[in-house]
Amino acid sequence: MGRPPCCDKANVKKGPWTPEEDAKLLAYTSTHGTGNWTSVPQRAGRLKRCGKSCRLRYTNYLRPNLKHENFTQEEEELIVTLHAMLGSRWSLIANQLPGRTDNDVKNYWNTKLSKKLRQRGIDPMTHRPIADLMQSIGTLAIRPPPAAASYFPASQVAGAAPPPSLPAFHDTPYFSALKQQQQVITHVDADAPASPDQHHQLKWSDFLTDVDAAALGGGHADASQAAALGQCQEGSAAATGVGGVRAFGDDEGASSIGGADDGAGAASAFIDAILDCDKEMGVDQLIAEMLADPAYYGGSSSSSDMGWDC
DNA sequence: AAATCGGGCAACCGCGCGCAG
DNA sequence: CCTGCGCGCGGTTGCCCGATT
């Protein structure tokens, strides 16, 4: 039997909220607080809304202390940096941005930031140079764009060569930090002895297929997910990896699980491992540690440092 | 001035997780 | 252990509005 609907769809209004509905919801939450959203529509003055819709409206729009103005340069840089570390875990990213919701951050990323990265020749998913990815894949011949146009915003590219004053993305501190982080993630040190004092490292390469690992430059693909998970679970006290980036697992006793052709399984296993590790430790604290490390966030709020200016 | 296009954003949807009975 | 329920999350949709033709 499937899960019953959370509310009577026939009697529920959808679409944009009216000021009257906002006022009812706000009045209710300000006096009763939040909690048990399913009963909120009735108790808040017979709102013809799904409780879920009420929660969403409150958290994304009505909640106190929300910022409604544009994202600042600092916020923008922080989002990109955190996305490089965390991927599309918008709630975690939003937690580091006071007054911003996960929906805000997600929309801003999808509409602005991912395009900015692409314009600079950076793949927004992997945060690696697109040209490098293409070379790694080895399926396409890369021809450099005329006048290196892809590293500059379209507004600057149109009809003209990029201004020489702008640094190439590779030269920015943001890129340096990313590169360093990716080395931590993908670095393979099969000869490194296991040490009790050594930080546990969960390497993305541990979850890659042979093909993927080879594409990443000869990384090993024989480390087991179980080993990484086990080390994560038994070693939760190891809060940080190199440079403040937490990483888990190592190569000892590794053997492949699920076969080398199970790329999707490897990916989900990697994510599962991250989630398990998150539970073992305070992720917020971890992020704070990462951001405190100049190597990753650089302590720089200067847009020119990032090469972000358009 | 009208039609079309595209970007931005609010809201919806479906799924997974945790908890209580 | 199973089931129902509430909640939170990420992905997606669809509307609105300004820009362009």
Side-chain angles (χ1 to χ4, degrees), chain A residues 3-14 17 21 25-26 28-29 33-60 62:
Chain A
R3 184 176 168 172
C6 63
C7 51
D8 181 7
K9 302 281 185 190
N11 292 320
V12 161
K13 181 186 172 188
K14 292 205 263 184
W17 281 64
E21 289 174 315
L25 182 57
L26 201 52
Y28 177 81
T29 54
T34 60
N36 194 7
W37 285 105
T38 50
S39 67
V40 166
Q42 271 297 319
R43 302 170 75 174
R46 295 185 182 178
L47 280 171
K48 291 186 184 302
R49 292 280 182 175
C50 177
K52 202 172 176 177
S53 178
C54 291
R55 181 181 60 81
L56 208 62
R57 180 64 177 173
Y58 179 79
T59 56
N60 286 338
L62 298 175

